[in-house]
Amino acid sequence: AESAQRTATALLEALAERARKTLGSSMLDGSFLCWLQRWDAVLRHDAAVAALCAIAQREVAASATWTGAEFERTSHIVPFLQLTTVMATSQTPSSGGTVRVHRYFKQAGLVGERIDQRELDMLNDALRRAMRRAQQLVHGVFKRVFVNKRVGGTEPLLAWLARLLELNNIRASIGQRDQMQAELAMFAAGDGLLLNVSLLLLRFAAPLFNIANGKYKAVRAEYPQLSHRIDYSKHAKLTRGDDSRLVLDLDAWTGAGGGGGGAA
């Protein structure tokens, strides 16, 4: 079992490096999706799931001295969440790069050329399909790991996601028009990665937004207090109530009694 996990670890790391090198190239040839599909196929085996969890735990432990940007550059899981058309000031060439819209159209021979709307729409549709397929594959992999009771991958992967978000919490308060804040952004991961992670988490939360299916009733009100991965009181306008649960602080949300819309 240990030998199989070591082999799986080496394979997952190699796939991540291949995917990282492919980022920034044209999406028209589907090379990145090819590596992502291989990652998906490998992670259908328990040994690979166990290896991914071990990688996640190793990266969480090592990240004690990392910035968000270093996490993005170093992680062997991040590359599969980096496919994006977003170019942010925090995205540097050394961080693995992203698929740029300019490069995409340049390699199609269309930069500086006049093209008709129909051809442009076709290229945009192709780009949109590639992005959607990548998002579906990543969501499928994470879901498969979360529900794998034989390996118990839920906690390692949740801890990994929490660490990624915690290292990049500075992004929420950064305005790119301010030079000093723009420089601070260099220590955080790129917007494209964080948007992809947010979309991934929203996909998992989507069933809870459907009142008709009643799944929201299974959410434990005291969960934010029991989970120590993220300090919810700092990020979600939550505070401890008299019943020892975290409750929504309406004053903090609306502006501490400053006429933020009146009482509920």
Side-chain angles (χ1 to χ4, degrees):
E2 290 184 7
S3 176
Q5 186 171 330
R6 283 196 299 270
T7 302
T9 299
L11 180 56
L12 290 174
E13 290 177 350
L15 286 172
E17 290 304 319
R18 291 279 189 171
R20 196 189 301 275
K21 289 178 181 178
T22 305
L23 285 165
S25 65
S26 172
M27 294 178 65
L28 295 175
D29 60 6
S31 53
F32 179 84
L33 285 178
C34 176
W35 294 118
L36 181 52
Q37 287 167 341
R38 293 188 185 186
W39 191 62
D40 170 67
V42 169
L43 284 165
R44 294 179 183 274
H45 304 278
D46 285 354
V49 172
L52 184 71
C53 294
I55 290 172
Q57 290 173 318
R58 185 184 68 201
E59 291 179 357
V60 168
S63 67
T65 58
W66 290 355
T67 63
E70 288 171 327
F71 196 103
E72 183 176 18
R73 289 195 298 267
T74 308
S75 172
H76 285 98
I77 301 175
V78 159
F80 298 102
L81 287 157
Q82 279 186 296
L83 187 66
T84 177
T85 58
V86 176
M87 181 171 63
T89 56
S90 60
Q91 193 75 44
T92 61
S94 61
S95 66
T98 58
V99 176
R100 306 284 197 263
V101 175
H102 176 82
R103 185 175 299 166
Y104 172 73
F105 289 106
K106 181 179 180 180
Q107 293 188 353
L110 297 175
V111 172
E113 300 291 333
R114 298 181 67 87
I115 60 174
D116 61 41
Q117 187 63 44
R118 184 173 59 179
E119 188 172 4
L120 183 60
D121 288 343
M122 288 175 61
L123 284 168
N124 280 328
D125 287 343
L127 186 60
R128 191 175 295 111
R129 284 195 299 271
M131 294 292 296
R132 187 179 298 118
R133 178 58 178 157
Q135 292 160 1
Q136 290 171 343
L137 285 169
V138 171
H139 176 260
V141 167
F142 273 73
K143 182 178 181 179
R144 203 155 53 243
V145 175
F146 284 148
V147 302
N148 190 321
K149 303 300 182 184
R150 297 182 300 277
V151 175
T154 303
E155 182 55 38
L157 215 50
L158 284 177
W160 184 88
L161 286 165
R163 185 57 181 160
L164 174 59
L165 295 174
E166 196 73 15
L167 286 174
N168 290 287
N169 59 32
I170 190 176
R171 297 294 299 165
S173 60
I174 288 177
Q176 299 300 335
R177 295 181 180 180
D178 186 305
Q179 181 61 33
M180 182 175 293
Q181 289 186 338
E183 291 176 0
L184 285 174
M186 301 296 290
F187 294 98
D191 288 342
L193 169 62
L194 297 179
L195 283 171
N196 284 341
V197 171
S198 298
L199 178 60
L200 174 67
L201 295 175
L202 281 171
R203 281 176 176 264
F204 282 112
L208 302 176
F209 300 148
N210 185 352
I211 302 300
N213 64 26
K215 289 187 177 182
Y216 70 94
K217 296 178 181 178
V219 177
R220 300 174 62 184
E222 68 274 15
Y223 178 78
Q225 180 186 0
L226 301 175
S227 173
H228 302 289
R229 301 186 197 95
I230 293 178
D231 184 353
Y232 291 91
S233 65
K234 214 168 41 172
H235 302 297
K237 305 297 184 184
L238 293 169
T239 183
R240 295 191 182 280
D242 294 335
D243 59 355
S244 298
R245 296 186 301 180
L246 290 175
V247 297
L248 183 63
D249 184 347
L250 288 177
D251 285 338
W253 186 261
T254 58

